[in-house]
Amino acid sequence: MSNDLFTPVYLRFPFISNLRSLVIYAALTKNAFPLPLQRKIFSNINYCFMKVTVVGAGAVGATTADNIARAALAEELVLLDIKEGIAEGKAQDMMQTAALLGFDTRISGSTNDYKKTAGSDVVVITSGLPRKPGMTREELIGVNAGIVKGVAENILQNSPDAIIIVVSNPMDTMTYLALQSTGLPKNRIIGMGGTLDSARFKYQLSQHLGASPGDLNAVVVGGHGDTTMIPLIRFATWNSVPVTKFLSEEQQKQIIADTMVGGATLTKLIGTSAWYAPGAASAALVKSILRDEKKLFTCSVSLNGEYGQNDICLGVPVIIGKSGWEKILDFGLNEDEQALFSKSADAVRNMNDVLKTL
Ligand SMILES: NC(=O)c1ccc[n+]([C@@H]2O[C@H](COP(=O)([O-])OP(=O)(O)OC[C@H]3O[C@@H](n4cnc5c(N)ncnc54)[C@H](O)[C@@H]3O)[C@@H](O)[C@H]2O)c1
């Protein structure tokens, strides 16, 4: 074994074979690394030790987990499903990509054994039925409410400090249910819907403008439903220039309409609900929490007078960081936008009322 100071530490000490021992070694002997590497390791040290659980190893859950692993967001990732073997199988399949893709995250699967999820920092709930062509998200409430409530309770028993991201539909109502049933502080329950809808809005805008989606800023607020979401085109910009400058009234209406039925269009084409963008959107929220990025996303969160609403979870622009959702941003809606927001809230509130009848 070479002990040359210029030989990288992991070659001098081959017992340092995994990420955890490497980071511990680095913590104990900072000087073992050249300065640029020290900076990299120590800036990453917090999220190296993070644990994430994804409940539901179906299309969206597995894609979320895959994105988390590829980006090496956590040290440990648990996939849990009620169907025997599916989570273990998908976890093993993903682990077999580690050597090819070069990540160190340890992924394991579990058939409904929540002990394996213990101590998770973030939990993403994707368990539940997806919609079929012609169905609305709202039609899933009967089955999914029971699933989400049971899952949230199990999660909390094993990971009392977790931040929970709810993906299952009807998402705004499932987020409200998770908040009510767990009694967690509101900042720790985040509904993922507007993040996806905003990405779909950017996609539609990019098609009409011939722009890179990454150059666009655009936000969808309100409920995560075909008729309740509100793409805020007045605020959308192309590298800080309002997109309305480049689009006719007719184009703008088309973009809004296509964004609103973005999910339904894919469900019709694929035969079931989409998963690539939902998985990427869920993982983006996980990343912003674990790395405390303070990124701005539209998420469904508990409103206490913001945007004129109370006792409801609805999509608004929020800062996502290590405490969950940390701040709601008031975009200053005009009269028409506020009227749409209130109408959207009424529809989601009606759906929440259905919970009382189940
Ligand atoms: N919020 C969003 O933006 C968004 C986007 C896409 C899909 N969704 C929703 O996400 C959910 C999952 O969609 P999908 O396409 O992955 O469906 P899917 O059928 O592929 O996967 C769902 C998985 O949940 C599992 N499951 C069911 N009950 C469970 C329980 N009690 N505990 C653990 N696992 C359980 C199933 O066995 C299945 O593997 C659906 O409700 C869908 O409507 C939401």
Side-chain angles (χ1 to χ4, degrees):
M1 173 169 47
S2 159
N3 217 4
D4 177 344
L5 267 183
F6 297 100
T7 308
V9 71
Y10 54 89
L11 292 182
R12 279 191 279 143
F13 303 101
F15 63 87
I16 299 175
S17 54
N18 62 31
L19 188 62
R20 183 189 281 268
S21 49
L22 182 71
V23 173
I24 289 170
Y25 182 83
L28 294 174
T29 59
K30 266 189 170 187
N31 293 339
F33 293 89
L35 197 60
L37 191 55
Q38 273 183 41
R39 287 215 181 96
K40 194 161 171 46
I41 289 171
F42 286 97
S43 67
N44 289 351
I45 203 159
N46 284 335
Y47 60 82
C48 280
F49 292 111
M50 295 292 186
K51 177 169 176 175
V52 177
T53 289
V54 179
V55 182
V60 176
T63 311
T64 302
D66 189 36
N67 278 292
I68 292 169
R70 281 169 189 255
L73 295 183
E75 191 200 16
E76 203 183 337
L77 179 58
V78 179
L79 204 51
L80 182 144
D81 202 286
I82 201 164
K83 255 188 239 157
E84 186 77 38
I86 181 176
E88 288 87 341
K90 290 200 181 181
Q92 216 176 94
D93 190 12
M94 266 177 237
M95 274 309 286
Q96 289 165 11
T97 69
L100 300 162
L101 301 172
F103 61 79
D104 286 312
T105 302
R106 273 184 290 120
I107 313 165
S108 60
S110 161
T111 302
N112 223 25
D113 177 2
Y114 280 84
K115 286 194 198 78
K116 293 192 178 151
T117 69
S120 293
D121 299 284
V122 181
V123 177
V124 187
I125 302 180
T126 74
S127 45
L129 292 186
R131 57 180 170 160
K132 296 284 167 220
M135 273 176 100
T136 64
R137 295 173 177 93
E138 286 74 13
E139 286 173 68
L140 302 167
I141 190 169
V143 180
N144 286 358
I147 294 176
V148 169
K149 189 165 182 278
V151 167
E153 284 163 1
N154 279 323
I155 283 299
L156 205 59
Q157 273 171 22
N158 292 277
S159 302
D161 300 322
I163 292 170
I164 296 180
I165 298 175
V166 180
V167 180
S168 312
N169 275 318
M171 184 278 297
D172 298 292
T173 298
M174 294 302 106
T175 306
Y176 181 76
L177 173 65
L179 186 68
Q180 300 293 317
S181 62
T182 60
L184 280 178
K186 59 183 181 176
N187 294 64
R188 282 172 49 199
I189 304 269
I190 302 168
M192 195 294 289
T195 306
L196 168 67
D197 299 329
S198 300
R200 287 179 170 157
F201 187 22
K202 288 178 199 173
Y203 163 75
Q204 292 296 342
L205 286 165
S206 74
Q207 297 296 298
H208 283 261
L209 293 166
S212 159
D215 278 349
L216 298 168
N217 265 307
V219 163
V220 175
V221 295
H224 176 59
D226 296 349
T227 54
T228 56
M229 70 178 78
I230 309 157
L232 291 174
I233 202 152
R234 186 168 69 93
F235 293 98
T237 61
W238 183 3
N239 270 349
S240 72
V241 182
V243 297
T244 47
K245 193 175 157 58
F246 307 103
L247 298 166
S248 65
E249 289 278 325
E250 204 175 306
Q251 277 179 309
Q252 292 179 38
K253 279 191 189 136
Q254 191 63 51
I255 288 166
I256 291 171
D258 289 345
T259 301
M260 292 175 76
V261 294
T265 305
L266 295 179
T267 303
K268 200 169 161 201
L269 286 169
I270 305 172
T272 185
S273 180
W275 56 87
Y276 291 114
S282 304
L285 296 183
V286 172
K287 179 165 173 263
S288 198
I289 295 167
L290 295 185
R291 296 193 179 176
D292 195 23
E293 288 180 329
K294 316 273 189 217
K295 282 204 168 186
L296 183 67
F297 291 104
T298 302
C299 292
S300 187
V301 301
S302 173
L303 299 181
N304 243 319
E306 297 91 348
Y307 287 82
Q309 298 298 326
N310 279 295
D311 190 31
I312 194 168
C313 291
L314 211 55
V316 290
V318 286
I319 303 288
I320 301 287
K322 65 172 187 264
S323 313
W325 69 265
E326 298 183 347
K327 189 179 171 190
I328 296 175
L329 260 75
D330 185 352
F331 269 28
L333 302 185
N334 65 23
E335 215 173 293
D336 290 347
E337 292 156 349
Q338 187 59 52
L340 286 174
F341 194 86
S342 303
K343 200 169 152 217
S344 176
D346 290 345
V348 170
R349 200 166 275 114
N350 284 341
M351 192 50 46
N352 292 353
D353 286 343
V354 175
L355 290 173
K356 295 176 196 150
T357 67
L358 297 174

